[in-house]
Protein backbone atom coordinates (compact mmCIF):
# COMPACT_ATOMS: atom_id res chain seq x y z
CA UNK A 1 0.00 0.00 0.00
CA UNK A 2 2.85 2.36 0.77
CA UNK A 3 5.00 1.41 -2.26
CA UNK A 4 5.68 4.67 -4.18
CA UNK A 5 6.20 2.72 -7.44
CA UNK A 6 2.52 2.03 -7.73
CA UNK A 7 1.77 5.59 -8.83
CA UNK A 8 2.30 6.94 -12.38
CA UNK A 9 2.42 10.42 -13.75
CA UNK A 10 0.70 12.75 -13.58
CA UNK A 11 0.64 11.68 -9.93
CA UNK A 12 4.23 11.31 -8.95
CA UNK A 13 3.57 11.84 -5.25
CA UNK A 14 0.26 12.67 -3.64
CA UNK A 15 1.70 13.63 -0.22
CA UNK A 16 5.22 14.59 0.88
CA UNK A 17 6.57 13.62 4.30
CA UNK A 18 9.45 14.75 6.42
CA UNK A 19 11.95 12.23 7.61
CA UNK A 20 12.00 12.44 11.40
CA UNK A 21 14.65 10.65 13.38
CA UNK A 22 12.97 10.84 16.79
CA UNK A 23 10.76 8.01 17.96
CA UNK A 24 7.00 8.43 18.67
CA UNK A 25 5.13 7.78 21.87
CA UNK A 26 5.80 4.48 23.59
CA UNK A 27 3.27 1.64 23.84
CA UNK A 28 2.04 1.69 27.44
CA UNK A 29 -0.41 -1.05 28.39
CA UNK A 30 -1.57 -1.54 31.98
CA UNK A 31 -4.61 -2.31 34.10
CA UNK A 32 -4.97 1.07 35.78
CA UNK A 33 -3.30 3.11 33.02
CA UNK A 34 -5.82 1.99 30.39
CA UNK A 35 -9.05 1.82 32.42
CA UNK A 36 -11.86 2.91 30.04
CA UNK A 37 -13.19 5.57 32.38
CA UNK A 38 -15.91 6.87 30.08
CA UNK A 39 -17.35 3.43 29.40
CA UNK A 40 -17.22 2.20 32.97
CA UNK A 41 -18.65 5.50 34.23
CA UNK A 42 -21.56 5.01 31.84
CA UNK A 43 -22.01 1.48 33.20
CA UNK A 44 -22.10 2.95 36.71
CA UNK A 45 -24.60 5.58 35.55
CA UNK A 46 -26.89 2.83 34.24
CA UNK A 47 -26.77 1.05 37.60
CA UNK A 48 -27.53 4.31 39.40
CA UNK A 49 -30.50 4.80 37.08
CA UNK A 50 -31.81 1.35 38.02
CA UNK A 51 -31.31 2.08 41.71
CA UNK A 52 -33.04 5.44 41.26
CA UNK A 53 -36.10 3.75 39.74
CA UNK A 54 -36.16 1.23 42.59
CA UNK A 55 -35.88 4.05 45.14
CA UNK A 56 -38.72 6.07 43.56
CA UNK A 57 -41.08 3.10 43.59
CA UNK A 58 -40.10 2.14 47.13
CA UNK A 59 -40.44 5.67 48.53
CA UNK A 60 -43.73 6.39 46.77
CA UNK A 61 -45.41 3.09 47.62
CA UNK A 62 -48.52 3.71 49.78
CA UNK A 63 -47.72 7.44 50.00
CA UNK A 64 -50.38 10.13 49.43
CA UNK A 65 -50.49 11.71 45.99
CA UNK A 66 -50.53 15.16 47.60
CA UNK A 67 -47.08 14.54 49.12
CA UNK A 68 -45.44 14.35 45.67
CA UNK A 69 -45.32 17.64 43.81
CA UNK A 70 -43.81 15.75 40.86
CA UNK A 71 -45.40 12.41 40.02
CA UNK A 72 -43.22 9.30 40.46
CA UNK A 73 -43.86 8.40 36.82
CA UNK A 74 -41.92 11.52 35.79
CA UNK A 75 -38.91 10.42 37.82
CA UNK A 76 -39.28 6.90 36.41
CA UNK A 77 -39.31 8.26 32.85
CA UNK A 78 -36.11 10.19 33.58
CA UNK A 79 -34.52 7.10 35.14
CA UNK A 80 -35.51 4.95 32.14
CA UNK A 81 -34.06 7.48 29.68
CA UNK A 82 -30.85 7.77 31.69
CA UNK A 83 -30.42 3.98 31.87
CA UNK A 84 -30.81 3.57 28.12
CA UNK A 85 -28.57 6.51 27.24
CA UNK A 86 -25.82 5.25 29.51
CA UNK A 87 -26.12 1.70 28.17
CA UNK A 88 -25.87 2.79 24.52
CA UNK A 89 -22.88 4.97 25.32
CA UNK A 90 -21.23 2.16 27.29
CA UNK A 91 -21.85 -0.28 24.42
CA UNK A 92 -20.14 2.05 21.94
CA UNK A 93 -17.10 2.34 24.22
CA UNK A 94 -17.07 -1.42 24.83
CA UNK A 95 -17.21 -2.21 21.08
CA UNK A 96 -14.24 0.10 20.58
CA UNK A 97 -12.23 -1.78 23.22
CA UNK A 98 -13.24 -5.16 21.76
CA UNK A 99 -12.35 -4.10 18.18
CA UNK A 100 -8.81 -3.00 19.08
CA UNK A 101 -8.28 -5.93 21.40
CA UNK A 102 -9.30 -8.24 18.51
CA UNK A 103 -6.98 -6.40 16.16
CA UNK A 104 -4.05 -7.20 18.49
CA UNK A 105 -4.67 -10.95 18.31
CA UNK A 106 -3.02 -13.32 15.88
CA UNK A 107 -5.04 -14.91 13.10
CA UNK A 108 -7.49 -11.99 13.05
CA UNK A 109 -8.97 -11.29 9.63
CA UNK A 110 -10.32 -8.12 8.11
CA UNK A 111 -13.76 -9.79 8.13
CA UNK A 112 -13.47 -10.37 11.86
CA UNK A 113 -12.82 -6.69 12.47
CA UNK A 114 -15.63 -5.68 10.16
CA UNK A 115 -18.15 -7.98 11.89
CA UNK A 116 -17.06 -6.72 15.29
CA UNK A 117 -17.76 -3.15 14.19
CA UNK A 118 -20.93 -3.96 12.25
CA UNK A 119 -22.53 -6.02 15.05
CA UNK A 120 -22.10 -3.02 17.32
CA UNK A 121 -23.53 -0.61 14.75
CA UNK A 122 -26.52 -2.45 13.27
CA UNK A 123 -29.21 -4.30 15.20
CA UNK A 124 -30.37 -5.95 11.98
CA UNK A 125 -26.93 -7.31 11.25
CA UNK A 126 -26.64 -8.56 14.85
CA UNK A 127 -30.02 -10.32 14.57
CA UNK A 128 -29.17 -11.95 11.24
CA UNK A 129 -25.56 -12.84 12.00
CA UNK A 130 -26.35 -16.55 12.17
CA UNK A 131 -23.24 -18.67 12.59
CA UNK A 132 -21.15 -15.52 12.94
CA UNK A 133 -23.07 -14.54 16.09
CA UNK A 134 -20.79 -12.93 18.64
CA UNK A 135 -20.84 -11.44 22.13
CA UNK A 136 -20.94 -8.01 20.49
CA UNK A 137 -24.09 -9.05 18.61
CA UNK A 138 -25.65 -10.31 21.85
CA UNK A 139 -24.86 -7.08 23.67
CA UNK A 140 -26.20 -5.02 20.76
CA UNK A 141 -29.49 -6.95 20.79
CA UNK A 142 -29.97 -6.80 24.56
CA UNK A 143 -29.10 -3.10 24.77
CA UNK A 144 -31.59 -2.45 21.96
CA UNK A 145 -34.25 -4.22 24.03
CA UNK A 146 -33.44 -2.00 27.03
CA UNK A 147 -36.03 0.72 26.25
CA UNK A 148 -38.74 -1.81 27.09
CA UNK A 149 -37.99 -0.79 30.68
CA UNK A 150 -39.77 2.53 30.01
CA UNK A 151 -43.38 1.29 29.72
CA UNK A 152 -42.71 -1.33 32.39
CA UNK A 153 -41.60 1.33 34.87
CA UNK A 154 -44.59 3.48 33.98
CA UNK A 155 -46.87 0.51 34.66
CA UNK A 156 -45.12 -0.10 37.99
CA UNK A 157 -46.64 3.02 39.61
CA UNK A 158 -50.40 3.43 39.90
CA UNK A 159 -52.84 5.55 41.94
CA UNK A 160 -55.56 4.00 44.10
CA UNK A 161 -57.76 5.00 47.02
CA UNK A 162 -56.31 3.74 50.27
CA UNK A 163 -55.15 4.46 53.80
CA UNK A 164 -51.84 6.06 54.61
CA UNK A 165 -50.33 6.23 58.08
CA UNK A 166 -47.81 8.77 59.28
CA UNK A 167 -46.75 10.63 62.42
CA UNK A 168 -47.89 14.27 62.59
CA UNK A 169 -47.95 17.07 65.16
CA UNK A 170 -51.36 18.18 66.44
CA UNK A 171 -52.62 20.97 68.67
CA UNK A 172 -55.78 20.48 70.73
CA UNK A 173 -57.41 22.77 73.29
CA UNK A 174 -58.28 20.97 76.54
CA UNK A 175 -58.35 22.27 80.11
CA UNK A 176 -55.82 20.71 82.46
CA UNK A 177 -58.31 21.36 85.29
CA UNK A 178 -61.82 22.80 85.35
CA UNK A 179 -62.10 26.54 86.00
CA UNK A 180 -63.52 27.65 89.35
CA UNK A 181 -67.31 27.36 89.52
CA UNK A 182 -67.56 26.00 85.96
CA UNK A 183 -70.37 23.43 86.23
CA UNK A 184 -73.00 24.42 88.82
CA UNK A 185 -74.49 26.34 91.72
CA UNK A 186 -75.47 25.38 95.25
CA UNK A 187 -78.78 27.13 95.94
CA UNK A 188 -79.40 25.87 99.45
CA UNK A 189 -77.51 25.91 102.71
CA UNK A 190 -76.53 22.34 102.05
CA UNK A 191 -73.80 21.14 99.73
CA UNK A 192 -76.05 19.45 97.17
CA UNK A 193 -75.97 21.17 93.77
CA UNK A 194 -79.29 22.20 92.29
CA UNK A 195 -78.46 24.26 89.18
CA UNK A 196 -76.16 23.95 86.18
CA UNK A 197 -74.22 26.84 84.73
CA UNK A 198 -75.25 27.98 81.23
CA UNK A 199 -71.94 26.77 79.79
CA UNK A 200 -72.23 23.33 81.34
CA UNK A 201 -75.91 23.00 80.35
CA UNK A 202 -74.79 22.93 76.72
CA UNK A 203 -72.17 20.28 77.47
CA UNK A 204 -74.71 18.10 79.31
CA UNK A 205 -77.27 18.45 76.52
CA UNK A 206 -74.81 17.39 73.82
CA UNK A 207 -73.77 14.47 76.02
CA UNK A 208 -77.36 13.29 76.47
CA UNK A 209 -77.94 13.67 72.73
CA UNK A 210 -74.73 11.70 72.05
CA UNK A 211 -73.54 14.49 69.75
CA UNK A 212 -70.01 14.53 68.38
CA UNK A 213 -67.42 16.57 70.27
CA UNK A 214 -66.48 19.31 67.81
CA UNK A 215 -63.03 20.91 68.04
CA UNK A 216 -61.16 23.59 66.14
CA UNK A 217 -58.74 22.63 63.38
CA UNK A 218 -56.12 20.43 65.02
CA UNK A 219 -54.04 19.68 61.94
CA UNK A 220 -55.48 16.19 61.50
CA UNK A 221 -56.77 15.48 57.99
CA UNK A 222 -57.85 11.86 58.45
CA UNK A 223 -58.19 9.68 61.54
CA UNK A 224 -55.59 10.46 64.22
CA UNK A 225 -54.81 8.65 67.45
CA UNK A 226 -52.80 10.27 70.22
CA UNK A 227 -52.33 10.67 73.96
CA UNK A 228 -53.86 13.91 75.27
CA UNK A 229 -53.26 15.43 78.72
CA UNK A 230 -56.26 17.11 80.36
CA UNK A 231 -58.64 17.31 83.29
CA UNK A 232 -60.04 13.93 84.23
CA UNK A 233 -61.09 11.61 87.01
CA UNK A 234 -59.47 8.81 88.98
CA UNK A 235 -61.79 5.91 89.83
CA UNK A 236 -61.38 3.47 92.68
CA UNK A 237 -63.91 0.63 92.62
CA UNK A 238 -64.71 -2.37 94.79
CA UNK A 239 -67.18 -5.25 94.56
CA UNK A 240 -69.12 -6.99 97.34
CA UNK A 241 -72.47 -8.72 97.82
CA UNK A 242 -75.60 -8.29 99.90
CA UNK A 243 -78.10 -10.96 101.05
CA UNK A 244 -81.24 -11.43 98.94
CA UNK A 245 -84.39 -13.15 100.14
CA UNK A 246 -87.46 -13.10 97.93
CA UNK A 247 -88.62 -16.67 98.42
CA UNK A 248 -92.19 -16.76 99.80
CA UNK A 249 -93.36 -19.78 101.83
CA UNK A 250 -96.22 -21.72 100.24
CA UNK A 251 -98.29 -21.29 103.40
CA UNK A 252 -97.81 -17.93 105.13
CA UNK A 253 -100.41 -18.65 107.82
CA UNK A 254 -98.97 -17.55 111.12
CA UNK A 255 -95.76 -16.21 109.51
CA UNK A 256 -96.91 -12.67 108.73
CA UNK A 257 -94.87 -11.31 111.60
CA UNK A 258 -91.71 -13.22 110.62
CA UNK A 259 -88.84 -10.80 109.99
CA UNK A 260 -87.85 -12.33 106.62
CA UNK A 261 -91.43 -12.36 105.44
CA UNK A 262 -91.83 -8.74 106.55
CA UNK A 263 -88.71 -7.82 104.51
CA UNK A 264 -90.20 -9.49 101.45
CA UNK A 265 -93.48 -7.68 101.96
CA UNK A 266 -91.72 -4.33 102.42
CA UNK A 267 -89.58 -4.97 99.34
CA UNK A 268 -85.97 -5.04 98.16
CA UNK A 269 -84.15 -2.95 95.56
CA UNK A 270 -83.27 -5.61 93.01
CA UNK A 271 -81.66 -2.90 90.87
CA UNK A 272 -80.28 0.42 91.99
CA UNK A 273 -77.81 3.10 90.93
CA UNK A 274 -77.03 5.77 93.51
CA UNK A 275 -74.86 8.88 93.53
CA UNK A 276 -73.46 10.43 96.70
CA UNK A 277 -72.01 13.95 96.71
CA UNK A 278 -69.32 14.79 99.28
CA UNK A 279 -69.27 18.52 98.61
CA UNK A 280 -65.53 18.83 97.98
CA UNK A 281 -65.18 17.45 94.46
CA UNK A 282 -65.36 13.81 95.48
CA UNK A 283 -68.44 11.73 94.68
CA UNK A 284 -69.44 8.10 94.89
CA UNK A 285 -71.33 5.74 92.61
CA UNK A 286 -73.13 2.77 94.14
CA UNK A 287 -74.67 0.01 92.03
CA UNK A 288 -76.52 -3.12 93.13
CA UNK A 289 -78.34 -5.58 90.98
CA UNK A 290 -79.83 -9.07 91.06
CA UNK A 291 -77.63 -10.95 88.65
CA UNK A 292 -79.33 -14.39 88.70
CA UNK A 293 -82.84 -15.82 88.57
CA UNK A 294 -82.51 -17.18 92.07
CA UNK A 295 -85.02 -15.82 94.57
CA UNK A 296 -82.71 -16.67 97.43
CA UNK A 297 -79.08 -15.61 97.20
CA UNK A 298 -77.13 -12.35 96.99
CA UNK A 299 -77.16 -9.01 95.23
CA UNK A 300 -73.99 -7.85 93.49
CA UNK A 301 -72.89 -4.54 95.00
CA UNK A 302 -70.26 -2.27 93.39
CA UNK A 303 -68.96 1.00 94.84
CA UNK A 304 -66.73 3.52 93.01
CA UNK A 305 -65.16 6.71 94.31
CA UNK A 306 -64.17 9.43 91.83
CA UNK A 307 -61.61 12.15 92.40
CA UNK A 308 -60.49 15.00 90.05
CA UNK A 309 -57.03 14.66 88.54
CA UNK A 310 -54.95 15.54 85.52
CA UNK A 311 -54.79 12.49 83.30
CA UNK A 312 -53.59 11.47 79.85
CA UNK A 313 -56.42 10.24 77.63
CA UNK A 314 -56.05 7.95 74.62
CA UNK A 315 -58.02 9.87 72.00
CA UNK A 316 -59.09 9.66 68.35
CA UNK A 317 -59.63 12.70 66.12
CA UNK A 318 -61.74 12.59 62.99
CA UNK A 319 -60.16 15.26 60.82
CA UNK A 320 -62.93 15.12 58.20
CA UNK A 321 -65.62 15.89 60.80
CA UNK A 322 -63.36 18.02 63.07
CA UNK A 323 -64.43 15.89 66.02
CA UNK A 324 -62.64 14.21 68.91
CA UNK A 325 -63.51 11.15 70.97
CA UNK A 326 -62.00 8.87 73.56
CA UNK A 327 -60.06 5.93 72.15
CA UNK A 328 -62.29 3.06 71.09
CA UNK A 329 -62.23 0.15 73.51
CA UNK A 330 -60.54 2.18 76.29
CA UNK A 331 -61.83 2.75 79.81
CA UNK A 332 -61.17 5.15 82.66
CA UNK A 333 -58.60 2.68 83.93
CA UNK A 334 -56.58 3.17 80.73
CA UNK A 335 -56.14 6.88 81.48
CA UNK A 336 -52.68 7.60 82.87
CA UNK A 337 -52.84 9.65 86.07
CA UNK A 338 -50.40 12.56 85.94
CA UNK A 339 -51.43 14.48 89.04
CA UNK A 340 -54.15 14.27 91.68
CA UNK A 341 -55.77 17.67 92.07
CA UNK A 342 -56.21 19.07 95.61
CA UNK A 343 -59.71 19.12 97.02
CA UNK A 344 -61.43 22.26 95.68
CA UNK A 345 -61.62 25.11 98.16
CA UNK A 346 -64.10 27.07 96.08
CA UNK A 347 -67.11 24.83 96.66
CA UNK A 348 -69.84 26.91 98.25
CA UNK A 349 -68.23 30.33 97.75
CA UNK A 350 -70.91 32.99 97.29
CA UNK A 351 -71.19 34.63 93.89
CA UNK A 352 -74.24 36.77 93.00
CA UNK A 353 -76.35 35.26 95.82
CA UNK A 354 -75.53 31.74 94.58
CA UNK A 355 -72.82 29.40 95.83
CA UNK A 356 -70.65 28.43 92.87
CA UNK A 357 -69.43 24.88 92.43
CA UNK A 358 -66.67 23.59 90.19
CA UNK A 359 -67.84 19.96 90.12
CA UNK A 360 -71.36 20.12 91.63
CA UNK A 361 -73.13 20.66 88.31
CA UNK A 362 -71.24 17.70 86.86
CA UNK A 363 -72.48 15.53 89.75
CA UNK A 364 -76.09 16.70 89.35
CA UNK A 365 -76.06 15.95 85.62
CA UNK A 366 -74.82 12.41 86.31
CA UNK A 367 -77.39 11.88 89.03
CA UNK A 368 -80.23 13.10 86.81
CA UNK A 369 -79.10 10.83 83.97
CA UNK A 370 -78.15 7.61 85.72
CA UNK A 371 -79.98 7.43 89.10
CA UNK A 372 -82.55 4.64 88.96
CA UNK A 373 -84.09 1.96 91.19
CA UNK A 374 -86.41 -1.00 90.75
CA UNK A 375 -87.95 -2.29 93.97
CA UNK A 376 -89.73 -5.64 94.25
CA UNK A 377 -92.10 -6.64 97.08
CA UNK A 378 -94.83 -9.10 97.76
CA UNK A 379 -98.36 -7.84 98.24
CA UNK A 380 -101.90 -9.04 98.24
CA UNK A 381 -101.83 -9.71 94.52
CA UNK A 382 -98.40 -11.29 94.48
CA UNK A 383 -95.05 -9.83 93.46
CA UNK A 384 -95.05 -6.24 92.29
CA UNK A 385 -92.37 -3.71 91.33
CA UNK A 386 -91.90 0.03 91.75
CA UNK A 387 -89.56 1.77 89.35
CA UNK A 388 -87.81 5.15 89.40
CA UNK A 389 -85.60 6.35 86.52
CA UNK A 390 -85.26 4.82 83.10
CA UNK A 391 -81.97 3.01 83.55
CA UNK A 392 -83.31 -0.05 85.34
CA UNK A 393 -85.51 -1.06 82.42
CA UNK A 394 -82.56 -0.93 80.02
CA UNK A 395 -80.67 -3.60 81.94
CA UNK A 396 -83.41 -6.17 82.60
CA UNK A 397 -81.94 -9.47 81.51
CA UNK A 398 -84.62 -12.11 82.12
CA UNK A 399 -87.60 -13.07 84.23
CA UNK A 400 -90.33 -11.01 82.54
CA UNK A 401 -93.04 -13.66 82.26
CA UNK A 402 -96.78 -13.61 81.96
CA UNK A 403 -96.84 -13.76 85.74
CA UNK A 404 -94.44 -11.42 87.54
CA UNK A 405 -92.20 -13.35 89.93
CA UNK A 406 -88.88 -13.08 91.71
CA UNK A 407 -86.85 -14.65 88.89
CA UNK A 408 -86.09 -11.25 87.31
CA UNK A 409 -82.37 -10.56 86.76
CA UNK A 410 -80.31 -7.67 85.44
CA UNK A 411 -77.08 -6.99 83.60
CA UNK A 412 -74.41 -4.98 85.43
CA UNK A 413 -74.60 -1.30 84.35
CA UNK A 414 -71.48 -0.20 86.22
CA UNK A 415 -69.02 -0.23 83.30
CA UNK A 416 -71.45 1.67 81.06
CA UNK A 417 -72.08 4.29 83.76
CA UNK A 418 -68.35 4.75 84.38
CA UNK A 419 -67.83 5.13 80.61
CA UNK A 420 -70.53 7.83 80.60
CA UNK A 421 -68.94 9.61 83.59
CA UNK A 422 -65.57 9.56 81.82
CA UNK A 423 -67.01 10.86 78.53
CA UNK A 424 -68.96 13.67 80.19
CA UNK A 425 -65.89 14.84 82.10
CA UNK A 426 -63.80 14.67 78.91
CA UNK A 427 -66.42 16.75 77.09
CA UNK A 428 -66.35 19.23 79.96
CA UNK A 429 -62.55 19.53 79.83
CA UNK A 430 -62.70 20.22 76.07
CA UNK A 431 -65.49 22.80 76.48
CA UNK A 432 -63.74 24.53 79.41
CA UNK A 433 -60.47 25.05 77.50
CA UNK A 434 -59.43 28.62 76.87
CA UNK A 435 -57.14 28.85 73.86
CA UNK A 436 -55.40 31.91 75.31
CA UNK A 437 -53.99 29.96 78.26
CA UNK A 438 -50.82 28.05 77.32
CA UNK A 439 -51.73 25.20 79.68
CA UNK A 440 -54.94 24.59 77.72
CA UNK A 441 -53.20 24.13 74.35
CA UNK A 442 -51.75 20.64 74.04
CA UNK A 443 -49.18 19.91 71.32
CA UNK A 444 -49.01 16.17 70.74
CA UNK A 445 -47.59 13.72 68.24
CA UNK A 446 -50.31 11.61 66.65
CA UNK A 447 -50.50 8.69 64.28
CA UNK A 448 -52.61 9.75 61.32
CA UNK A 449 -54.48 7.31 59.11
CA UNK A 450 -55.61 9.13 55.99
CA UNK A 451 -58.02 7.86 53.34
CA UNK A 452 -56.71 9.51 50.23
CA UNK A 453 -55.44 8.74 46.72
CA UNK A 454 -52.10 7.01 47.21
CA UNK A 455 -49.40 5.68 44.94
CA UNK A 456 -49.02 1.93 44.86
CA UNK A 457 -45.97 0.23 43.37
CA UNK A 458 -46.03 -3.02 41.43
CA UNK A 459 -42.73 -4.74 42.13
CA UNK A 460 -43.51 -7.33 39.46
CA UNK A 461 -43.28 -4.72 36.71
CA UNK A 462 -40.25 -3.19 38.45
CA UNK A 463 -38.53 -6.59 38.40
CA UNK A 464 -39.19 -6.95 34.66
CA UNK A 465 -37.86 -3.44 33.99
CA UNK A 466 -34.72 -4.15 36.02
CA UNK A 467 -34.27 -7.45 34.16
CA UNK A 468 -34.36 -5.81 30.71
CA UNK A 469 -31.95 -3.14 31.94
CA UNK A 470 -29.46 -5.54 33.50
CA UNK A 471 -29.43 -8.00 30.58
CA UNK A 472 -27.89 -5.35 28.33
CA UNK A 473 -25.58 -4.24 31.15
CA UNK A 474 -24.34 -7.78 31.83
CA UNK A 475 -23.79 -8.46 28.12
CA UNK A 476 -21.84 -5.22 27.68
CA UNK A 477 -19.51 -5.63 30.66
CA UNK A 478 -17.40 -8.53 29.22
CA UNK A 479 -16.64 -6.45 26.11
CA UNK A 480 -14.41 -4.24 28.22
CA UNK A 481 -12.25 -7.18 29.27
CA UNK A 482 -8.66 -6.97 28.04
CA UNK A 483 -8.45 -3.18 28.10
CA UNK A 484 -5.15 -3.51 29.95
CA UNK A 485 -3.52 -4.91 26.79
CA UNK A 486 -4.02 -1.68 24.86
CA UNK A 487 -1.04 0.70 24.80
CA UNK A 488 -2.89 3.95 24.17
CA UNK A 489 -6.35 5.48 24.23
CA UNK A 490 -8.25 4.24 21.16
CA UNK A 491 -11.38 5.05 19.21
CA UNK A 492 -13.24 3.75 16.15
CA UNK A 493 -12.73 7.01 14.32
CA UNK A 494 -12.27 6.23 10.60
CA UNK A 495 -9.17 8.43 10.72
CA UNK A 496 -7.57 6.32 13.44
CA UNK A 497 -8.52 2.99 11.86
CA UNK A 498 -7.42 4.14 8.41
CA UNK A 499 -4.06 5.17 9.84
CA UNK A 500 -3.77 1.77 11.50
CA UNK A 501 -4.26 0.19 8.07
CA UNK A 502 -1.41 2.38 6.74
CA UNK A 503 -3.33 4.94 4.68
CA UNK A 504 -0.66 7.13 2.97
CA UNK A 505 -2.55 10.35 3.57
CA UNK A 506 -2.53 9.79 7.32
CA UNK A 507 1.12 9.08 7.84
CA UNK A 508 2.49 11.16 10.72
CA UNK A 509 5.59 11.27 12.84
CA UNK A 510 4.06 8.74 15.31
CA UNK A 511 2.27 5.55 14.28
CA UNK A 512 1.15 5.16 17.92
CA UNK A 513 -0.56 8.52 17.95
CA UNK A 514 -4.08 8.97 19.27
CA UNK A 515 -6.70 10.36 16.95
CA UNK A 516 -6.34 13.79 18.55
CA UNK A 517 -2.60 13.76 17.75
CA UNK A 518 -3.25 12.61 14.20
CA UNK A 519 -5.69 15.46 13.62
CA UNK A 520 -3.31 17.94 15.18
CA UNK A 521 -0.62 17.00 12.64
CA UNK A 522 -2.59 15.94 9.58
CA UNK A 523 -6.01 17.45 10.18
CA UNK A 524 -5.42 20.41 7.84
CA UNK A 525 -4.46 18.26 4.86
CA UNK A 526 -6.93 18.42 1.97
CA UNK A 527 -8.59 15.16 1.04
CA UNK A 528 -11.05 13.98 -1.57
CA UNK A 529 -12.58 10.67 -2.50
CA UNK A 530 -12.52 10.00 -6.19
CA UNK A 531 -10.60 8.63 -9.17
CA UNK A 532 -6.81 8.55 -9.24
CA UNK A 533 -4.51 7.09 -11.87
CA UNK A 534 -1.79 4.64 -10.91
CA UNK A 535 0.59 2.32 -12.74
CA UNK A 536 -2.12 -0.32 -12.46
CA UNK A 537 -4.92 1.82 -13.83
CA UNK A 538 -7.58 3.93 -12.28
CA UNK A 539 -8.62 3.52 -8.68
CA UNK A 540 -11.19 4.94 -6.29
CA UNK A 541 -9.44 6.18 -3.17
CA UNK A 542 -8.82 9.08 -0.87
CA UNK A 543 -6.20 11.42 -2.22
CA UNK A 544 -4.98 14.97 -2.53
CA UNK A 545 -7.84 16.98 -4.04
CA UNK A 546 -5.73 18.33 -6.93
CA UNK A 547 -5.00 14.77 -8.16
CA UNK A 548 -8.48 13.33 -7.73
CA UNK A 549 -11.43 13.64 -10.08
CA UNK A 550 -15.06 12.66 -9.76
CA UNK A 551 -16.04 9.18 -11.04
CA UNK A 552 -18.16 8.95 -14.19
CA UNK A 553 -21.35 6.94 -14.48
CA UNK A 554 -20.59 3.40 -15.65
CA UNK A 555 -16.88 3.81 -15.10
CA UNK A 556 -15.01 0.79 -13.76
CA UNK A 557 -11.94 0.82 -11.56
CA UNK A 558 -9.08 -1.38 -10.55
CA UNK A 559 -8.38 -2.71 -7.06
Amino acid sequence: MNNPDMYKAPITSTYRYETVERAGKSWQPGFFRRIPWLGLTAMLGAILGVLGAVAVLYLSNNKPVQDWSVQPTVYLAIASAAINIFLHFALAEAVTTTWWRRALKQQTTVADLHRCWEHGQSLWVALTSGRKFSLVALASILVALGPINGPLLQRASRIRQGYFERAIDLHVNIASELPEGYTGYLSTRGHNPNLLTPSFVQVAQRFNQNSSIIIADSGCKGSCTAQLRGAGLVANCSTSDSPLHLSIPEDMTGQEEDEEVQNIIQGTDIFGTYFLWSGNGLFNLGVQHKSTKDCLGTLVVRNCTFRPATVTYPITINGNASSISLGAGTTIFDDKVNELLPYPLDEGRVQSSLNISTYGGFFKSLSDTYSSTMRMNYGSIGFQIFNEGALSNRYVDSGILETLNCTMSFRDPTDDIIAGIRELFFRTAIAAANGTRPADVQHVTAQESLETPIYTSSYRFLALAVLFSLLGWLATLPLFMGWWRLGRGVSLSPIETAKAFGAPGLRTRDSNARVQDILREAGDRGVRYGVTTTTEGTRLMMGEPSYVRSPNAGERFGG
Side-chain angles (χ1 to χ4, degrees), residues 3 5-8 532-539 557-559:
N3 186 356
D5 294 335
M6 66 186 299
Y7 298 102
K8 287 185 176 180
T532 61
T533 303
T534 69
T535 56
E536 298 177 359
T538 57
R539 298 177 60 193
F557 312 97

Side-chain angles (χ1 to χ4, degrees), residues 264-265 267-268 270 374-387 404-405 408:
I264 296 172
I265 294 174
T268 300
I270 56 177
M374 184 174 286
R375 189 172 186 83
M376 175 175 280
N377 70 352
Y378 190 82
S380 59
I381 60 173
F383 281 103
Q384 54 191 355
I385 58 174
F386 299 91
N387 181 57
L404 185 65
N405 56 52
M408 287 185 65

Side-chain angles (χ1 to χ4, degrees), residues 204-273:
Q205 287 177 344
R206 287 193 289 266
F207 169 72
N208 291 326
Q209 295 167 358
N210 198 27
S211 300
S212 298
I213 307 174
I214 304 302
I215 59 173
D217 182 23
S218 63
C220 177
K221 304 302 180 184
S223 177
C224 301
T225 57
Q227 300 289 320
L228 186 64
R229 179 186 173 98
L233 293 170
V234 176
N236 185 13
C237 298
S238 63
T239 303
S240 60
D241 56 57
S242 176
L244 172 68
H245 195 306
L246 291 174
S247 180
I248 299 296
E250 293 182 5
D251 185 6
M252 294 184 60
T253 304
Q255 301 186 42
E256 290 82 356
E257 301 301 324
D258 185 84
E259 182 178 353
E260 290 186 352
V261 173
Q262 283 295 317
N263 289 336
I264 296 172
I265 294 174
Q266 292 175 7
T268 300
D269 286 349
I270 56 177
F271 181 95
T273 54

Side-chain angles (χ1 to χ4, degrees), residues 304-325:
C304 295
T305 300
F306 296 88
R307 177 176 176 177
T310 301
V311 303
T312 298
Y313 294 102
I315 56 98
T316 299
I317 296 177
N318 184 338
N320 295 321
S322 296
S323 64
I324 188 172
S325 62

